[in-house]
Amino acid sequence: MQGQANNNPLLSTFTGFDGVVPFDKIKTEHFAPALETAIKLTKERIEKIKSVQNPTFENVIEALEISSDEVDAISLIFGNLENANGTEEHRKIAPQIYQILASYGSDISLDETLFQKVKQVHDNPPAKLNLEQKKLSEQTYKSFVRNGALLDAGKKDQLREIDQKLAGLVPEFSQNVLKATNEFELWVTKAVDVEGLPTNVIEEAKQNATNKGKPEQWLFTLQFPSYLPFLTYAKNRDLREKMWLAFGSRAFNTEYDNQNNIRQILDLREKRALLLGFPNHAAFVLEERMAKTPEKVFDFLRDLLEKAKPAAQRDLDEVKQFAIDTDGIKDFKPWDFGYYSEKLREKKYSFNQEELRPYFKLDNVITGVFEHARRLFGLQFEENTQIPRYHEDVKVYTVTEAGSNKYVGIFYADFFPRESKKAGAWMTSYRVQGLTGGKVLRPHISIVCNFSKPTATTPSLLTLDEVKTLFHEFGHALHGMLSDVYYRSLAGTNVFWDFVELPSQIMENWVDEEEAVLLYAKHYETGKALPKDLFQRLQKSLQFQSGWAALRQLSFALLDMAYHTTPAAQIGDVDVFETNATAHTRLMDKIPGTNSSCAFSHIFAGGYSAGYYSYKWAEVLDADAFEYFKEAGLFNADVAAKFKKLLSSGGTSHPMDLYKEFRGREPDAKALLRRDGLVP
C-alpha cells in the first residue's frame, strides 16, 4: 500500500494550471490508499495541536482549519466523481470510502483533549480577533458540540456507531435510485406511438435505440430529457401511464428497494438527535438554520399551503375539464396532467413551450449566462481545453475579472445525461476558496446537469425549464466563484441551507425578462432573435398553474418535515406513512404501487433532510430581492454590487444580516405570493 501511495497522483502536488485536479492520472484504486495516508498526516497535525501549552486562535482554531487539506481535497474529488461519472468500481468502494471518512470525522470531533483546546480558545476569545476569526472560532466550537464533544464516553461510542452506519446507508440509497432509473427502458416499435413528441426527442430516442443495436425502434428512459417530454407531449395515453408508473415506483418494491434504508436512516438520525439532546432530527438540523425550529417551518409551510391549495385545486379542475372537453377523458389520472396542461397552455396563450426550444441552443444559453455574469458582476469566461476533464462532455473555463483580467477561478460544466451520472442538477466544488496549504486560493467550481443531448440533425436545444436549471446552478456557481473570505469553512456556499438557494433561485428570474432573454435567445438555424410576440405570450403564461407548482413543492417539504419530526418507531410502513403525511396536500388519488419517498434523494442522500422547505423559504428571499433589481434595472450596477457583496461574504455573517445589508430591510414575505399571482 505504501508503494501505491508513493506513486499516487492524489498525494502528489497538482502541477497543472492553478493546481487543477489531474483527472487524466487518477484511477479508482488510488482513493483508498490516498485517503489512508492523508488521514494519517492530518492526525499527526492534530497531535501537535493537542500538545500546545498555551492555546490560541492561531495554534488551535486556525491550525485545525488547515489540518485536513489533503483529506478534504481527496474526499471532494471522490464524491464528485461518484455522483457525476461513477463507474461500477466507484460504487463498489463508495461505502468503504464514506465509512472511512465517517470514522475519521468521529476521531476528530470526539477527541476530548482536542475539544478542550478548542473550548479554551472559544471561552476566552482574544480581543484582537476580527469578525471572521470570531465566526470561525464559534463555528468550530459548535461543530464539535453538534458532533458529540459534550457526550460521555459511552454515548460517544454510540454516536460513532450511528455515523458509521449512516455512512453506508446513504450511498446505498442513492445507488439504488440510480440503478432503478437506469434499468427501465421503454421500447417503441410503431411510429404512431411517438406522435406528438418533439422532433428532437424522437431523434434522441432513435439514437438511443440505434446505440443498442435496434435502429428500427425508439428507446425512451427515465432520464429527464426523455421522461419529461414524453409525459408532456406523447399522445399515447397507455405509454404515458407506463412511463409515469415506472418513474413513480423507482426503488420501491423492486430489486433496488429503499424502504428498509429509509427506516434505518430515520431511526439512526433520530437516535443521533436524541443523544445530542434534541427531540428529533429536524430540531437538530434547524438549530443551524434561519428558520430555527420545526414549529416555525411548519407555520411557514402551512401559511403558504393556505394560499396555494385553493389555487392548485382551481388549476387541476381547469385541466380536468379541458381533458373532458378535448378528448372525453373522464377518468383523469396523474399521467394526464402534464399532457393536457400543456395543451391548455397552448389554447389559453397561443403558446407552446416547444416553440422556444429552437431559440435555446445550449451554446448560446451558455454565452448568455456568461454575459449575465459580466454585466452583473464583472466576470468573463474563457474555455480552457488544456485543463484535464473527467469526461469528454465536460467543458472547462478560466474565470477572470473583465477589464483587469484578475484571476477568479476555474469553472467546470457537465451538461448531458449518461448512465454513470446521477439524475438531477447540482453545483459542487473541487476546491473551495480560502486558506489551503498556507495560501488563500481561488475556487474550482463545477455544475452538473442532465440536459437534452444533441441529435444527428440538431445541436443541444434546451427547454425553458432546462434554461432555468442552468441559470439556477450557475447562481450557486457564482456564490462559490465570487467568494472572497480567508477561511474555507466560511467560504462560498458554506452558509445556512435555507439561505443557500437565494443565489441560485434569484438567477432564474432573469430568464423571464425580455431584456435578458434576448442576450442569448437566437434561432439555431437562422440566428434570428426570439420574436417579440412569442416572448409576450410566454410572459402572459408565467403564472399559469403556479398554484399547482407551489402545492407540489409544499407537499415534498411537508413530507420531509413529517419524516423528521415523527418518532421513527411510528414509521413502520413507508408507503402508508407517505400516504398519510401527504393526504392534506394531495388533490388526486394516490396510485397504488408508487411511492416518492423511495427515490427522494434530496432528503435521504442529498443533505436536505429537514431542509426541503429551504426552496420555498429562499423563494421568498429571491422574489423580494429581484423586485429590487426590477425597480432599479435588471443590470443596475449599484444593486448588483450590493448583491455581489452578499455572495462574496459566504458564511462570515448571519444570513439575515447579509440580506438586510443588501436590501436595506428584512424580506417582504408577500413578494413570493405576488410573483406567483396568489395575492394581488
Side-chain angles (χ1 to χ4, degrees):
M1 185 168 287
Q2 188 60 44
Q4 283 181 292
N6 289 336
N7 300 308
N8 195 319
L10 289 166
L11 295 172
S12 304
T13 301
F14 295 171
T15 57
F17 177 78
D18 193 37
V20 293
V21 178
F23 293 112
D24 53 334
K25 298 177 181 177
I26 295 171
K27 297 179 180 178
T28 310
E29 59 264 29
H30 289 141
F31 283 102
L35 196 55
E36 181 180 316
T37 300
I39 287 174
K40 181 181 178 183
L41 184 59
T42 297
K43 288 185 174 180
E44 290 171 357
R45 294 170 183 151
I46 296 295
E47 288 303 313
K48 291 181 181 179
I49 297 172
K50 289 163 61 177
S51 69
V52 299
Q53 298 302 307
N54 298 301
T56 65
F57 175 84
E58 288 77 15
N59 66 20
V60 175
I61 305 298
E62 186 172 276
L64 187 58
E65 167 78 0
I66 62 175
S67 66
S68 59
D69 287 353
E70 296 85 358
V71 174
D72 295 342
I74 293 166
S75 58
L76 273 177
I77 296 168
F78 179 81
N80 289 338
L81 288 179
E82 197 243 329
N83 284 322
N85 199 36
T87 63
E88 192 58 38
E89 288 73 24
H90 279 111
R91 297 186 193 112
K92 283 180 181 177
I93 69 167
Q96 174 196 359
I97 294 293
Y98 294 133
Q99 285 173 331
I100 289 173
L101 287 169
S103 180
Y104 152 79
S106 296
D107 288 344
I108 305 300
S109 61
L110 299 178
D111 189 308
E112 179 63 22
T113 303
L114 179 61
F115 174 61
Q116 288 304 321
K117 302 294 182 183
V118 170
K119 187 175 186 300
Q120 191 171 339
V121 177
H122 172 266
D123 292 349
N124 303 281
K128 64 178 182 178
L129 295 185
N130 61 35
L131 290 177
E132 190 172 337
Q133 290 172 325
K134 289 177 182 177
K135 183 72 174 178
L136 181 65
S137 182
E138 178 67 25
Q139 185 167 297
T140 303
Y141 175 78
K142 274 190 174 182
S143 177
F144 272 86
V145 172
R146 287 172 59 80
N147 284 287
L150 295 177
L151 300 178
D152 61 35
K155 290 182 177 179
K156 283 182 178 179
D157 288 342
Q158 292 177 50
L159 191 69
R160 181 188 292 272
E161 184 180 356
I162 287 170
D163 287 344
Q164 278 288 299
K165 289 179 179 178
L166 283 170
L169 287 168
V170 168
E172 184 178 331
F173 181 98
S174 182
Q175 288 177 22
N176 280 346
V177 176
L178 179 63
K179 290 174 182 176
T181 300
N182 287 340
E183 184 179 66
F184 177 82
E185 296 179 338
L186 177 68
W187 289 92
V188 175
T189 59
K190 300 176 182 177
V192 67
D193 290 332
V194 298
E195 283 187 9
L197 287 166
T199 302
N200 70 299
V201 176
I202 295 173
E203 288 183 358
E204 185 173 340
K206 175 67 76 173
Q207 186 62 54
N208 289 340
T210 301
N211 292 343
K212 296 208 171 187
K214 298 180 181 180
E216 73 285 357
Q217 298 185 35
W218 296 266
L219 173 59
F220 297 91
T221 71
L222 298 183
Q223 297 285 356
F224 282 138
S226 180
Y227 172 75
L228 290 178
F230 201 96
L231 265 290
T232 306
Y233 298 105
K235 288 184 178 180
N236 189 314
R237 192 186 187 206
D238 290 338
L239 292 183
R240 290 204 311 271
E241 176 183 2
K242 190 172 183 179
M243 285 283 277
W244 190 92
L245 290 173
F247 191 86
S249 59
R250 289 176 302 156
F252 177 59
N253 284 336
T254 68
E255 177 186 354
Y256 309 115
D257 189 82
N258 264 332
Q259 292 176 83
N260 193 47
N261 285 334
I262 288 173
R263 284 189 289 267
Q264 290 186 72
I265 289 170
L266 292 172
D267 179 61
L268 291 167
R269 284 175 177 171
E270 179 183 78
K271 286 177 177 175
R272 194 180 198 283
L274 291 171
L275 274 174
L276 294 168
F278 294 87
N280 52 53
H281 179 71
F284 167 76
V285 168
L286 291 165
E287 184 192 44
E288 289 290 279
R289 300 290 188 267
M290 293 179 76
K292 290 298 183 186
T293 67
E295 293 74 24
K296 188 168 183 179
V297 172
F298 276 119
D299 287 344
F300 169 72
L301 295 174
R302 287 165 182 159
D303 183 59
L304 288 178
L305 183 63
E306 184 181 336
K307 311 290 193 308
K309 190 173 181 179
Q313 185 66 64
R314 292 193 295 271
D315 291 343
L316 176 60
D317 290 345
E318 187 179 27
V319 175
K320 290 171 75 172
Q321 186 60 52
F322 179 75
I324 292 173
D325 295 343
T326 305
D327 290 326
I329 302 294
K330 295 182 179 179
D331 60 331
F332 192 85
K333 299 295 183 182
W335 46 87
D336 295 319
F337 188 88
Y339 179 78
Y340 286 103
S341 173
E342 186 61 25
K343 297 296 182 190
L344 176 61
R345 186 205 307 268
E346 188 170 356
K347 179 182 179 183
K348 291 183 70 171
Y349 304 104
S350 299
F351 168 68
N352 182 319
Q353 291 198 80
E354 280 300 308
E355 293 181 73
L356 295 171
R357 195 192 284 263
Y359 296 92
F360 291 153
K361 180 182 174 182
L362 175 59
D363 290 346
N364 291 343
V365 180
I366 294 170
T367 300
V369 81
F370 288 168
E371 178 63 12
H372 279 66
R374 187 191 70 79
R375 294 190 180 200
L376 289 166
F377 308 119
L379 299 181
Q380 59 187 14
F381 294 73
E382 183 175 351
E383 187 171 3
N384 189 329
T385 58
Q386 302 305 305
I387 291 177
R389 303 169 296 163
Y390 58 85
H391 190 276
E392 61 183 9
D393 286 346
V394 178
K395 291 191 174 184
V396 191
Y397 303 84
T398 52
V399 189
T400 56
E401 290 184 359
S404 69
N405 286 323
K406 181 181 177 182
Y407 177 66
V408 173
I410 298 293
F411 176 59
Y412 298 87
D414 181 0
F415 291 122
F416 304 125
R418 51 184 174 267
E419 290 190 353
S420 60
K421 183 194 287 189
K422 293 177 181 176
W426 61 92
M427 166 267 183
T428 186
S429 305
Y430 284 96
R431 188 173 78 196
V432 179
Q433 185 267 325
L435 186 63
T436 302
K439 298 179 181 178
V440 177
L441 301 179
R442 295 306 305 165
H444 298 172
I445 305 298
S446 174
I447 63 171
V448 185
C449 306
N450 283 278
F451 291 155
S452 304
K453 298 171 70 173
T455 70
T457 61
T458 61
S460 175
L461 302 176
L462 305 187
T463 65
L464 178 62
D465 284 343
E466 287 176 329
V467 174
K468 289 196 172 188
T469 297
L470 175 52
F471 272 75
H472 178 106
E473 299 307 333
F474 190 73
H476 282 310
L478 288 170
H479 202 181
M481 284 187 283
L482 289 171
S483 180
D484 189 19
V485 306
Y486 192 76
Y487 298 110
R488 278 184 294 138
S489 294
L490 304 175
T493 56
N494 288 322
V495 298
F496 285 177
W497 277 55
D498 47 8
F499 185 68
V500 78
E501 294 297 336
L502 166 61
S504 56
Q505 290 179 182
I506 194 173
M507 289 302 297
E508 295 183 44
N509 289 275
W510 273 270
V511 178
D512 295 330
E513 301 295 327
E514 186 174 20
E515 177 187 350
V517 171
L518 290 179
L519 294 175
Y520 56 86
K522 298 175 174 58
H523 197 281
Y524 78 98
E525 289 179 313
T526 67
K528 291 184 178 179
L530 183 73
K532 190 176 186 67
D533 73 301
L534 177 55
F535 187 81
Q536 288 174 342
R537 284 180 274 142
L538 163 64
Q539 281 203 314
K540 288 177 182 177
S541 73
L542 288 178
Q543 293 178 347
F544 178 61
Q545 293 178 345
S546 59
W548 179 265
L551 182 66
R552 181 177 181 275
Q553 287 295 90
L554 291 170
S555 178
F556 287 137
L558 286 163
L559 176 60
D560 170 32
M561 290 301 294
Y563 271 127
H564 292 106
T565 56
T566 302
Q570 296 179 19
I571 305 173
D573 187 311
V574 169
D575 196 43
V576 170
F577 183 85
E578 175 181 298
T579 301
N580 293 334
T582 57
H584 62 306
T585 61
R586 196 183 314 114
L587 299 180
M588 299 177 70
D589 292 338
K590 189 173 186 292
I591 302 298
T594 62
N595 180 281
S596 62
S597 300
C598 287
F600 201 170
S601 295
H602 270 77
I603 68 169
F604 292 117
Y608 276 85
S609 59
Y612 200 85
Y613 78 92
S614 300
Y615 287 103
K616 299 308 291 183
W617 184 279
E619 276 189 57
V620 171
L621 301 178
D622 91 70
D624 182 65
F626 192 66
E627 283 186 353
Y628 193 15
F629 275 99
K630 290 196 73 171
E631 291 162 6
L634 292 184
F635 299 102
N636 181 274
D638 292 336
V639 178
K642 291 179 182 179
F643 198 71
K644 185 177 182 180
K645 173 67 164 52
L646 178 150
L647 294 174
S648 66
S649 298
T652 56
S653 298
H654 191 280
M656 189 56 79
D657 293 336
L658 291 175
Y659 190 86
K660 288 193 291 186
E661 183 181 357
F662 159 70
R663 193 69 166 100
R665 57 165 173 75
E666 291 195 358
D668 177 1
K670 291 186 177 179
L672 172 60
L673 299 174
R674 286 195 293 272
R675 185 176 67 189
D676 286 350
L678 300 179
V679 297

